[in-house]
Amino acid sequence: MAAKAGDNPESLMTLATVFCLRNLRKTMCYQGFRNKVCLRSDIFLPSEICDKLVNTYIELVHTDSNFEPEESFFQLFSDPRSTRLTRVQLREDFVRDRDLEAIRKQDLIELHLTYCNNLSSRSLKTLTCFRETLVSLCLFGCSHIFYRKGGAPLACNEDSEEEEDEGPASRQALETDFNFHGFNRLRLLNLGGLPDEVDAEALLKPLMSLTSLDLSNVQLLGTAFLTQWKDRLASLILYNVDLSEDVLFSPHNLLNLRHLDISRESRRTSKFKMNRKILTAVVQRLVNLVSLDMSGHIMLDNCTVPHFEEAMGRPSLEPCKSSIYPFQELKRPLQFLGLYDTTLCNVTHIPAYKVTGSKNEDQVLNAIEAYTEFRPELAHRAINQLFDIARIQHCSQLLRALQLVIAALKCHKYDKSIQVTGSAALFYLTNTEYRSDQSVRMRREVIQVVLNGMEEYQEVTVQRNCCLTLCNFSIPEELEFQYSRVNQLLLKILEPARQDESIQRIAVHLCNALVCQVDNYHKEAVGKMGFVKTMLHLIQKKLQDRMCDQVMEFSWSALWNITDETPDNCQMFLNCHGMSLFLECLQEFPDKQELHRNMLGLLGNVAEVKALRPQLVTPQFITVFSNLLDSKADGIEVSYNACGVLSHIMFDGPEVWAMDEPRRDTVMDKMWDAIQSWDVSSRRNINYRSFEPILRLLPQGISPVSQHWATWALYNLVSVYSSKYCPLLIKEGGITLLEKVLELDSSHPETKDMAR
């Protein structure tokens, strides 16, 4: 059988790493002073394992809400005699100065810090500890690392943690003492987002061996200084750097350049216009170029071959057929060409293997892949275009599309625009059309990132998109691995007094589906979360608005499901004044048949609990149940459920009937009449997981009418749905109990006929 999209299993290394991180105190650590984890003395770990532990730890912190971070985690790697780190990737505000200081004795080769806004100039001091070994350094988006906290001088106090509580670094206290002297092995440097106050040229001057430099969003006074690496630099990124012909002249002298990125966020922000002359000069001088990104630039018409002159036939990669004049000079096709948000992406012949743009699905997916990590503003727009492809056309690269959107949502958990467009795209990429092509693992990954979005954003659009996406899954089966979490999130959505109507409706529908057909321990757990109280709160609000809509009906249906064979939840329903709401709903909405069926089904569950039945035996409730025996609402369902409630009450005997009116005999007569009026071949809107509550009414002579109701119920179900309910009847010992009905003198002849 062919493997489904994303069906490759996790490696044993990954599984073992995650297990160790979730169980540090049971595997490689013990609990030390002040509850901090400490590495066991007999543990010695090589760099391959240590790198994996740290990088997986960061990923779990950002993508798994059930994962508990450890305050002293980085201290585990403080001694290179027992743990070795070489390649570390840290991201977001979670990382602090003292985390870097903890690993300052390690011989790091690669250190990637991305959007680490809690790092101050204390971490610059720590960086100098790695200067003799560091080959690759990324400080992308670390906007505060060049500033001191509270104006303190550049210092690294090894044992002090006081500075951690002082908040972010002050934007006024620029650190001027740091430079890259001594970083002689550094080859790859990313300074994307370097503050304007920092002199990039002076900062970079000591670095003689750079081969890759990223100066995205950096304000440069000029680019002449780049020529100091003219014989070495292979990759230069000047994303969102203001260009002119003079600025472009310096990169022309970097003759060994293989990757050049001069792209912009948008054409709207660009004053520079790319023309044929400039582009030709780039291609002619940079003969080693294999990758070029010029997205977001205004392209003058003289760059492209007129449509009627384009080479005939299918799109070609051959430079000689290029629809873009300057690229006809290429000796071979480029590996990568960024044309996103330019007119050039629409031409026929583009001599590049991978092109970003918006012309087709391939270009859009390439854009998401290329820009997700460091350019969420572009990735957001590309995901929006993927959303349109999945919604209006057909996504032909489903696995790749899903993996890219999931990666973007994980990478930018705190970016609202990515969360909105990503969750919307997932809704269409997981619908029925694509479902058969997706593996269990892939669909679980989707559920995880959707729940992350719900957790982080209480914003209407994200919540709606996430809830709608969950509706594409088989509920509860596919959500059971996150059962508790998804219920908590849905109940949180339903908390506000006036929630958005559409979200409320979807959330209540999901809640109802989640408590249908699950084990009792699941229902009990959800009940303890406040499920019963939340549903009754919704019902109360709808009553105040005098509105019986889907939210009202779903809420009663959810209560019916969650109280099924779950006495604790039935007790909660009574404790939270559920019976008074039942009476109010009956009075306010006398003609709402679906509502009556759901309410009576719920009360049937309450009536099955012997300890709770006395609370139902009041003149008011018995009169209501008795009157509902005559109901023709929803076929026989309302009458059937009312009779079921009364059957359990009658089974407790005449001694519990502590009232004069209505009389027990009168109510029993009405029950007999109701049962006689039902068509025994009726198709039912009901689903039994167990016959136990019905079977207990069979072998008894206290209430023959209860016995008759139970026998009628079984007879109807096994005759109309024989393949489903005959095995259940046999499994639960129903045959023996029916034989006892035949033996009892108190059994009514009609009851015996059905039992037989």
Side-chain angles (χ1 to χ4, degrees):
M1 191 175 81
K4 291 186 176 182
D7 213 5
N8 48 323
E10 291 279 16
S11 68
L12 183 58
M13 175 72 163
T14 299
L15 293 172
T17 303
V18 171
F19 179 82
C20 286
L21 289 170
R22 291 189 188 280
N23 301 276
L24 280 174
R25 288 169 176 80
K26 296 177 184 175
T27 52
M28 48 194 276
C29 299
Y30 65 92
Q31 192 160 308
F33 181 61
R34 289 185 180 173
N35 204 28
K36 290 186 177 181
V37 289
C38 302
L39 198 68
R40 282 171 34 191
S41 58
D42 58 346
I43 294 285
F44 302 92
L45 299 174
S47 60
E48 292 85 357
I49 292 176
C50 291
D51 291 348
K52 183 83 172 173
L53 281 167
V54 171
N55 297 331
T56 304
Y57 174 80
I58 291 296
E59 186 179 344
L60 286 172
V61 165
H62 290 300
T63 61
D64 189 342
S65 64
N66 294 323
F67 183 75
E68 287 292 326
E70 289 287 352
E71 184 70 19
S72 54
F73 177 76
F74 288 92
Q75 285 292 335
L76 301 178
F77 306 92
S78 59
D79 188 350
R81 290 171 299 183
S82 54
T83 54
R84 291 281 177 88
L85 284 174
T86 54
R87 293 174 169 83
V88 176
Q89 298 181 11
L90 310 177
R91 52 183 301 121
E92 310 290 352
D93 296 354
F94 167 77
V95 183
R96 299 152 305 175
D97 290 319
R98 69 164 174 253
D99 297 326
L100 270 190
E101 286 169 10
I103 60 172
R104 68 189 178 278
K105 293 178 182 176
Q106 295 286 355
D107 292 336
L108 291 188
I109 295 172
E110 289 179 14
L111 176 60
H112 286 204
L113 304 172
T114 311
Y115 301 116
C116 298
N117 285 319
N118 272 341
L119 297 183
S120 71
S121 61
R122 280 177 66 186
S123 289
L124 288 181
K125 173 71 173 178
T126 308
L127 285 185
T128 61
C129 299
F130 310 126
R131 65 180 176 268
E132 292 179 9
T133 56
L134 213 55
V135 173
S136 177
L137 174 64
C138 171
L139 299 177
F140 186 88
C142 300
S143 57
H144 295 127
I145 199 168
F146 286 91
Y147 297 91
R148 295 191 291 270
K149 282 188 176 178
L154 183 66
C156 176
N157 187 341
E158 297 181 6
D159 304 311
S160 170
E161 296 184 1
E162 285 87 352
E163 282 192 62
E164 294 300 331
D165 303 321
E166 291 183 9
S170 164
R171 292 293 297 204
Q172 283 73 47
L174 182 69
E175 183 53 65
T176 54
D177 293 343
F178 175 79
N179 58 56
F180 279 114
H181 280 294
F183 286 77
N184 298 327
R185 296 190 65 195
L186 199 62
R187 301 289 186 272
L188 294 84
L189 178 61
N190 185 336
L191 290 177
L194 187 75
D196 295 345
E197 297 92 330
V198 179
D199 184 344
E201 186 175 341
L203 188 68
L204 292 165
K205 196 166 180 122
L207 297 171
M208 303 308 298
S209 305
L210 282 186
T211 59
S212 175
L213 179 61
D214 187 332
L215 294 173
S216 297
N217 292 296
V218 176
Q219 196 170 24
L220 298 176
L221 298 174
T223 54
F225 71 94
L226 294 173
T227 55
Q228 76 182 72
W229 304 291
K230 63 183 173 65
D231 298 326
R232 303 190 64 96
L233 209 61
S235 173
L236 176 63
I237 298 175
L238 300 174
Y239 173 68
N240 269 350
V241 173
D242 290 330
L243 294 182
S244 65
E245 286 197 46
D246 292 339
V247 169
L248 267 175
F249 179 74
S250 298
H252 286 180
N253 293 320
L254 305 172
L255 300 182
N256 289 313
L257 212 59
R258 294 172 59 78
H259 171 62
L260 175 63
D261 186 336
I262 49 173
S263 60
R264 293 193 65 80
E265 180 180 338
S266 170
R267 277 183 279 179
R268 288 192 303 248
T269 62
S270 178
K271 297 171 188 169
F272 176 74
K273 294 181 181 177
M274 185 70 72
N275 59 38
R276 183 172 171 178
K277 175 190 163 190
I278 297 169
L279 200 49
T280 302
V282 169
V283 173
Q284 286 177 340
R285 289 189 64 81
L286 302 179
V287 292
N288 294 308
L289 210 61
V290 296
S291 169
L292 174 64
D293 199 333
M294 46 188 192
S295 300
H297 276 295
I298 299 167
M299 299 290 176
L300 296 184
D301 292 342
N302 66 1
C303 285
T304 55
V305 174
H307 182 62
F308 60 85
E309 288 184 18
E310 282 188 314
M312 301 294 285
R314 297 181 63 179
S316 172
L317 293 175
E318 293 178 47
C320 62
K321 293 183 180 178
S322 172
S323 300
I324 304 164
Y325 278 125
F327 293 148
Q328 292 177 358
E329 306 268 342
L330 289 169
K331 291 184 172 58
R332 67 193 73 80
L334 294 170
Q335 295 296 319
F336 175 89
L337 180 57
L339 299 177
Y340 192 75
D341 193 27
T342 72
T343 52
L344 298 187
C345 71
N346 296 308
V347 300
T348 305
H349 306 297
I350 303 174
Y353 293 104
K354 187 173 278 191
V355 179
T356 69
S358 52
K359 181 183 179 182
N360 53 41
E361 181 183 328
D362 209 40
Q363 287 187 3
V364 168
L365 292 177
N366 289 340
I368 299 171
E369 183 176 46
Y371 305 134
T372 285
E373 186 173 11
F374 296 127
R375 301 176 196 177
E377 61 278 4
L378 295 185
H380 149 66
R381 284 155 61 192
I383 293 170
N384 210 21
Q385 286 158 340
L386 174 64
F387 161 76
D388 284 334
I389 291 168
R391 179 173 63 96
I392 301 165
Q393 303 162 31
H394 176 81
C395 181
S396 58
Q397 300 178 57
L398 177 67
L399 171 60
R400 188 177 175 215
L402 273 174
Q403 287 173 331
L404 289 173
V405 174
I406 289 169
L409 287 167
K410 280 184 175 179
C411 187
H412 299 286
K413 183 179 173 182
Y414 309 107
D415 187 310
K416 182 183 160 187
S417 59
I418 291 274
Q419 293 298 319
V420 169
T421 53
S423 56
L426 285 183
F427 170 70
Y428 284 100
L429 290 170
T430 55
N431 68 16
T432 315
E433 180 185 358
Y434 301 109
R435 180 170 185 165
S436 60
D437 299 323
Q438 295 164 10
S439 68
V440 171
R441 183 179 162 202
M442 178 60 72
R443 289 176 73 79
R444 284 192 168 192
E445 276 200 71
V446 172
I447 290 166
Q448 291 274 29
V449 294
V450 163
L451 296 182
N452 287 347
M454 289 171 71
E455 217 155 38
E456 192 61 37
Y457 289 94
Q458 300 308 305
E459 196 271 337
V460 172
T461 314
V462 175
Q463 296 283 1
R464 186 188 295 114
N465 290 351
C466 291
C467 286
L468 283 170
T469 301
L470 291 179
C471 291
N472 285 338
F473 293 81
S474 296
I475 304 171
E477 297 83 7
E478 287 191 281
L479 299 184
E480 204 157 357
F481 80 107
Q482 291 279 291
Y483 193 77
S484 175
R485 185 182 176 204
V486 71
N487 273 292
Q488 282 174 328
L489 287 168
L490 289 169
L491 293 178
K492 190 176 179 184
I493 286 175
L494 293 168
E495 269 175 22
R498 283 285 174 261
Q499 179 58 278
D500 176 85
E501 192 70 32
S502 62
I503 296 177
Q504 198 176 63
R505 187 169 61 251
I506 303 162
V508 175
H509 161 72
L510 285 167
C511 282
N512 186 26
L514 279 161
V515 292
C516 183
Q517 300 297 303
V518 290
D519 293 327
N520 287 4
Y521 76 89
H522 274 326
K523 295 183 181 183
E524 287 167 3
V526 174
K528 286 171 184 166
M529 286 178 201
F531 190 100
V532 175
K533 192 179 287 187
T534 299
M535 293 302 140
L536 289 172
H537 187 51
L538 288 172
I539 291 165
Q540 193 169 32
K541 284 188 289 185
K542 291 296 175 185
L543 266 171
Q544 289 167 0
D545 297 340
R546 305 184 73 177
M547 184 183 293
C548 183
D549 57 5
Q550 283 186 317
V551 172
M552 171 73 94
E553 289 177 4
F554 282 153
S555 298
W556 279 108
S557 180
L559 288 170
W560 181 5
N561 282 318
I562 202 173
T563 53
D564 181 32
E565 296 183 49
T566 317
D568 286 354
N569 291 341
C570 293
Q571 177 77 66
M572 275 185 226
F573 170 78
L574 295 178
N575 291 349
C576 296
H577 312 293
M579 289 305 293
S580 60
L581 286 175
F582 159 68
L583 293 175
E584 286 181 57
C585 285
L586 269 183
Q587 189 176 350
E588 186 66 43
F589 310 112
D591 303 319
K592 294 290 183 179
Q593 299 185 9
E594 182 81 8
L595 180 69
H596 293 184
R597 180 179 74 88
N598 293 344
M599 292 195 299
L600 265 294
L602 158 63
L603 293 183
N605 291 338
V606 177
E608 288 171 6
V609 184
K610 184 176 176 64
L612 301 180
R613 284 201 285 271
Q615 296 184 55
L616 303 181
V617 188
T618 69
Q620 185 182 27
F621 293 148
I622 296 296
T623 302
V624 168
F625 299 143
S626 181
N627 291 338
L628 287 170
L629 290 169
D630 300 326
S631 172
K632 296 293 182 281
D634 199 21
I636 66 166
E637 296 303 332
V638 172
S639 177
Y640 170 87
N641 284 324
C643 199
V645 173
L646 291 167
S647 293
H648 289 289
I649 292 170
M650 296 300 176
F651 177 60
D652 289 338
E655 57 273 17
V656 302
W657 203 271
M659 66 185 104
D660 296 326
E661 289 294 334
R663 292 179 45 144
R664 188 170 184 268
D665 292 345
T666 307
V667 175
M668 284 201 288
D669 289 341
K670 285 196 72 174
M671 291 167 67
W672 280 107
D673 292 341
I675 298 169
Q676 299 285 7
S677 71
W678 303 338
D679 179 1
V680 81
S681 62
S682 298
R683 299 194 71 78
R684 309 296 304 287
N685 194 359
I686 200 165
N687 188 19
Y688 281 100
R689 289 189 306 128
S690 168
F691 284 150
E692 196 275 327
I694 296 175
L695 293 174
R696 73 170 82 119
L697 299 176
L698 289 180
Q700 50 94 8
I702 301 166
S703 172
V705 71
S706 304
Q707 185 189 56
H708 190 62
W709 174 83
T711 311
W712 188 96
L714 294 171
Y715 182 67
N716 164 255
L717 292 167
V718 298
S719 56
V720 177
Y721 305 100
S722 54
S723 61
K724 180 176 182 180
Y725 288 121
C726 283
L728 185 62
L729 182 69
I730 294 164
K731 178 186 170 189
E732 296 191 338
I735 304 300
T736 307
L737 296 173
L738 287 166
E739 286 170 350
K740 288 184 181 176
V741 170
L742 297 174
E743 294 167 10
L744 288 170
D745 294 335
S746 58
S747 300
H748 196 279
E750 282 189 42
T751 309
K752 288 187 176 183
D753 283 345
M754 283 192 294
R756 197 173 287 115

